Amino acid sequence: MFYTPTRDAVYASNIEDAKDEQSDLDYSVQNQAWAIVPRIREVDRFLHMHETELNPGQIIETHPEVAFAALNGGEPAAKAKKEDRGEADRLELLRPRLNDVETVFRNAKSRFQGPDYASQLAHPDDILDALAALVVARDGGRNPLTLPQTTPPNRDDELGRDCVIAYSKETDWKPHPSKQ
């Protein structure tokens, strides 16, 4: 997992400027985080375009590794998702929750890795992440379980919502002993 860039960093013109935008924080903008900045901007545009139609509670945010850990009894997946075993383990976690997930996964790989999506080639692990997010959205309903649990969430005043990560209701993490 990695820290999400601040809003000012998200709208910087390059990663060096983004790092400058948040130089006073305890963390910098990592390459992995910078790679998802275009998607963060897309979500921001969508939320602004539809702000009168949506209320803040209708949009939930999740993280694939949090979602998979929740589906795995609160434990992180043992193998990296880019490894064959990690892919198989994640499909196993999704199998009881999504009908015919192997076929859905195979078809998605065929479709979203093809030439029509060349500018946004989806890797198999990206597709698994999307399926995990689907489970969270479907099962979380309007009142999903969220992290953080032991501290108040940050607030996005611009969008009028708390910054939380939703996960499947199947697992409710107990606070780590050091946090109690």
Side-chain angles (χ1 to χ4, degrees):
M1 298 216 315
F2 51 87
Y3 287 106
T4 305
T6 62
R7 185 169 302 284
D8 289 338
V10 163
Y11 287 97
S13 59
N14 58 56
I15 191 169
E16 290 79 19
D17 291 346
K19 289 179 180 185
D20 289 343
E21 285 291 342
Q22 62 185 63
S23 62
D24 58 334
L25 300 177
D26 291 336
Y27 62 95
S28 184
V29 178
Q30 300 166 322
N31 289 342
Q32 191 176 14
W34 186 251
I36 67 168
V37 160
R39 301 302 163 254
I40 295 170
R41 291 174 182 166
E42 284 178 11
V43 170
D44 267 1
R45 281 193 303 273
F46 175 84
L47 293 174
H48 285 292
M49 284 178 6
H50 299 284
E51 64 188 332
T52 60
E53 302 155 47
L54 298 170
N55 70 53
Q58 286 181 282
I59 304 296
I60 62 172
E61 183 175 351
T62 192
H63 187 286
E65 293 309 311
V66 170
F68 280 117
L71 299 176
N72 195 33
E75 295 295 322
K79 298 290 183 184
K81 60 187 170 185
K82 291 184 186 289
E83 295 178 18
D84 290 343
R85 184 70 250 161
E87 180 179 296
D89 289 348
R90 284 162 178 80
L91 282 169
E92 185 67 30
L93 291 169
L94 292 168
R95 186 173 293 116
R97 294 155 184 97
L98 293 174
N99 292 336
D100 203 13
V101 70
E102 286 86 0
T103 300
V104 171
F105 181 62
R106 185 176 53 253
N107 289 345
K109 285 195 308 186
S110 173
R111 179 172 181 186
F112 297 116
Q113 292 183 297
D116 293 345
Y117 289 87
S119 65
Q120 304 174 39
L121 286 179
H123 298 280
D125 60 293
D126 296 327
I127 295 166
L128 288 170
D129 291 351
L131 293 171
L134 169 67
V135 169
V136 172
R138 183 197 64 202
D139 296 349
R142 294 191 180 276
N143 190 23
L145 297 175
T146 60
L147 298 174
Q149 289 183 336
T150 59
T151 60
N154 290 332
R155 181 95 178 139
D156 183 338
D157 291 326
E158 184 174 325
L159 295 176
R161 57 193 302 260
D162 288 336
C163 299
V164 297
I165 301 295
Y167 61 96
S168 172
K169 289 187 174 187
E170 293 183 35
T171 299
D172 192 10
W173 273 285
K174 303 298 179 238
H176 190 278
S178 67
K179 304 287 185 193
Q180 293 180 341

